[in-house]
Amino acid sequence: NAGVTQTPKFQVLKTGQSMTLQCAQDMNHNSMYWYRQDPGMGLRLIYYSASEGTTDKGEVPNGYNVSRLNKREFSLRLESAAPSQTSVYFCATSIRRGGYYEQYFGPGTRLTVT
Amino acid sequence: EDQVTQSPEALRLQEGESSSLNCSYTVSGLRGLFWYRQDPGKGPEFLFTLYSAGEEKEKERLKATLTKKESFLHITAPKPEDSATYLCAALPYNNNDMRFGAGTRLTVKP
């Protein structure tokens, strides 16, 4: 039971390059999220998916696209990377259990754009 | 605008010295208040969810409480292994955009 996994762990891109961050979960949760975390700031939501086939923008969606491929997988794509996208990216899932929401995070992808 | 503010930014304690971390929130109707622990280089680890003022949750040396404007994470007799960054987040009623605070970095010295 791996929980939430993310690949790659580290990535360096040049400005203008594209890449896709992968996230997979084996927890059978419907909801999945992509966040970015920058020094001195809280985690900020990029995109959210309530279920397979649905996605919604979060606080900071510009420059990103997402795909909810199936219940297990939720990918984040940077079409043309910019230095402002240097950050740590976290994927998360959530479930409502006994009336309470619980959210679980992956280990993160550390992205540097030069 | 929905926002969450945590204080202090950093806290250094001696082992066994109890203290509290503060989380102030402003959201358009609170669906849930969340606490996480984050170790360096790792993803946040879920600790608690609180829903209504007066609610309390406990886990080992940690106790979270909630009022209508704030939440507190009380740490009783901390140990060095409690050293981490503690994150607070508020989920509004009208959307799924959970707002996180910047965190409190806790260091417990032996």
Side-chain angles (χ1 to χ4, degrees):
Chain A
N1 190 344
V4 182
T5 58
Q6 293 183 236
T7 56
K9 286 186 167 49
F10 300 93
Q11 183 72 47
V12 178
L13 292 178
K14 294 188 188 305
T15 297
Q17 288 185 317
S18 62
M19 78 161 295
T20 299
L21 282 65
Q22 306 284 357
C23 173
Q25 53 114 350
D26 62 3
M27 306 171 83
N28 202 35
H29 292 172
N30 285 321
S31 299
M32 297 187 73
Y33 309 76
W34 276 106
Y35 291 92
R36 61 178 288 172
Q37 187 174 39
D38 301 297
M41 301 184 72
L43 285 136
R44 291 180 292 168
L45 183 66
I46 305 171
Y47 271 95
Y48 158 75
S49 172
S51 61
E52 182 181 348
T54 68
T55 60
D56 287 297
K57 294 178 181 179
E59 184 184 0
V60 289
N62 292 344
Y64 306 95
N65 287 301
V66 291
S67 295
R68 182 75 183 268
L69 305 170
N70 47 54
K71 189 171 186 177
R72 289 189 65 248
E73 297 172 292
F74 189 35
S75 62
L76 179 72
R77 182 159 179 84
L78 287 68
E79 291 291 352
S80 178
S84 61
Q85 294 178 305
T86 293
S87 188
V88 182
Y89 291 85
F90 289 101
C91 177
T93 69
S94 72
I95 189 170
R96 188 164 179 153
R97 205 193 308 269
Y100 287 88
Y101 284 100
E102 297 176 3
Q103 191 172 46
Y104 297 91
F105 284 80
T109 294
R110 282 144 188 82
L111 174 67
T112 301
V113 182
T114 61
Chain B
E1 183 184 335
D2 298 333
Q3 64 180 14
V4 173
T5 304
Q6 291 187 248
S7 61
E9 287 185 18
L11 182 62
R12 296 169 66 92
L13 299 173
Q14 287 297 126
E15 185 172 1
E17 180 187 2
S18 301
S19 188
S20 297
L21 281 56
N22 177 265
C23 170
S24 298
Y25 63 91
T26 306
V27 294
S28 48
L30 182 70
R31 192 157 27 133
L33 189 291
F34 299 77
W35 282 98
Y36 300 85
R37 170 192 171 124
Q38 186 174 25
D39 293 302
K42 302 268 183 80
E45 174 190 344
F46 170 76
L47 292 173
F48 306 110
T49 311
L50 302 164
Y51 283 106
S52 54
E55 190 174 0
E56 299 183 352
K57 292 274 181 72
E58 285 190 69
K59 182 179 181 177
E60 296 180 359
R61 294 176 292 282
L62 301 177
K63 182 168 82 172
T65 61
L66 182 65
T67 73
K68 288 188 176 179
K69 295 184 177 180
E70 295 176 304
S71 179
F72 295 92
L73 185 66
H74 307 278
I75 303 176
T76 302
K79 298 183 178 181
E81 53 262 42
D82 294 322
S83 296
T85 296
Y86 290 86
L87 304 175
C88 167
L91 181 64
Y93 259 118
N94 58 355
N95 61 64
N96 291 296
D97 190 356
M98 186 131 69
R99 293 300 171 108
F100 281 80
T104 293
R105 188 173 65 255
L106 175 66
T107 304
V108 182
K109 295 287 192 182

